[in-house]
Amino acid sequence: MTTTKALVLFSGGQDSTVCLGWALDRFDRVETIGFDYGQRHRVELEARAEVLKRISGLKAVWRGRLADDHTVELPELGRISETSLTRDAEIIMTASGLPSTFVPGRNLIFLTYAAAVAYRRGITSLIGGMCETDYSGYPDCRNVALDSMEQALGLGMERVFKIETPMMFLSKAGTWKLAHQLGSHALVELIIEHTHTCYMGDRSKRFSWGYGCGDCPACDLRAKGYEEWRADAN
Ligand code: ZN
């Protein structure tokens, strides 16, 4: 029997943690990849390590499936982001709800690196938490952009890749619901306690939905989604 394999783009945030659970349900062997581009908030990378340490113990079928973790250092990406910070604009939240330090096309860069790693490791399924429902401001999260990327990677590397995005059309409440379906209360608790989403890197305040500043667009989405899911579940 062939071993099915996947590579999950895993940042340590809520969406990519749900993706990881989704992949652990479906693939015999699941590897992860993360990008270190000098994030101002090292908490993201710490959250990654904590989730990786705990997730496979949450469900019997997940045990033994989680395999190698890859980290790719992309300091240039951080520099591009810093440039936008110091040159033209101060850090502001733009009308689309993105911080002005956001690097355009970031997911396309991540997917190219992920495909290069996957190619070498005989993996054709790339799994990511991109979602076009709540993040309309990120054009590289849209399904049409990722379909084109899948095609470009396939042509450029002469290998058929499949980019799977289980969260693409879910609302934030839907993401909490999926987490509960996949890993029950244990996965929801892991997300609350150990994942990180806040743009400010703030983990000093604990809310019902997890840690964060409570004010930035990322915290706002996470909180609203959680409350909506709780209201629906009751
Ligand atoms: Zn926040």
Side-chain angles (χ1 to χ4, degrees), residues 196-202 209 211-220:
H196 186 81
T197 321
C198 174
Y199 285 146
M200 302 302 160
D202 188 344
W209 45 265
Y211 295 85
C213 71
D215 289 321
C216 74
C219 282
D220 198 39

Side-chain angles (χ1 to χ4, degrees), residues 159-220:
R159 166 104 25 122
V160 177
F161 287 106
K162 193 162 168 37
I163 300 177
E164 300 201 62
T165 52
M167 248 72 82
M168 182 53 72
F169 302 110
L170 294 183
S171 64
K172 269 280 172 266
T175 303
W176 285 103
K177 189 176 170 190
L178 178 60
H180 193 259
Q181 280 165 354
L182 289 166
S184 184
H185 189 62
L187 183 58
V188 172
E189 273 302 304
L190 179 80
I191 289 169
I192 290 172
E193 285 304 320
H194 297 291
T195 68
H196 186 81
T197 321
C198 174
Y199 285 146
M200 302 302 160
D202 188 344
R203 285 189 77 77
S204 62
K205 288 192 270 302
R206 162 70 152 82
F207 300 88
S208 55
W209 45 265
Y211 295 85
C213 71
D215 289 321
C216 74
C219 282
D220 198 39

Side-chain angles (χ1 to χ4, degrees), residues 72-141:
V72 177
E73 293 192 22
L74 295 174
E76 282 306 323
L77 205 58
R79 252 193 301 264
I80 293 167
S81 163
E82 283 304 304
T83 305
S84 76
L85 193 157
T86 50
R87 290 245 177 101
D88 301 330
E90 74 263 53
I91 296 194
I92 47 158
M93 291 300 168
T94 60
S96 54
L98 302 177
S100 54
T101 51
F102 172 70
V103 178
R106 196 178 57 176
N107 281 319
L108 305 182
I109 298 168
F110 290 169
L111 280 163
T112 305
Y113 277 94
V117 170
Y119 184 102
R120 300 294 299 270
R121 302 189 62 82
I123 299 173
T124 53
S125 289
L126 307 174
I127 323 270
M130 300 79 166
C131 165
E132 68 173 36
T133 316
D134 286 324
Y135 289 96
S136 52
Y138 292 88
D140 60 341
C141 284

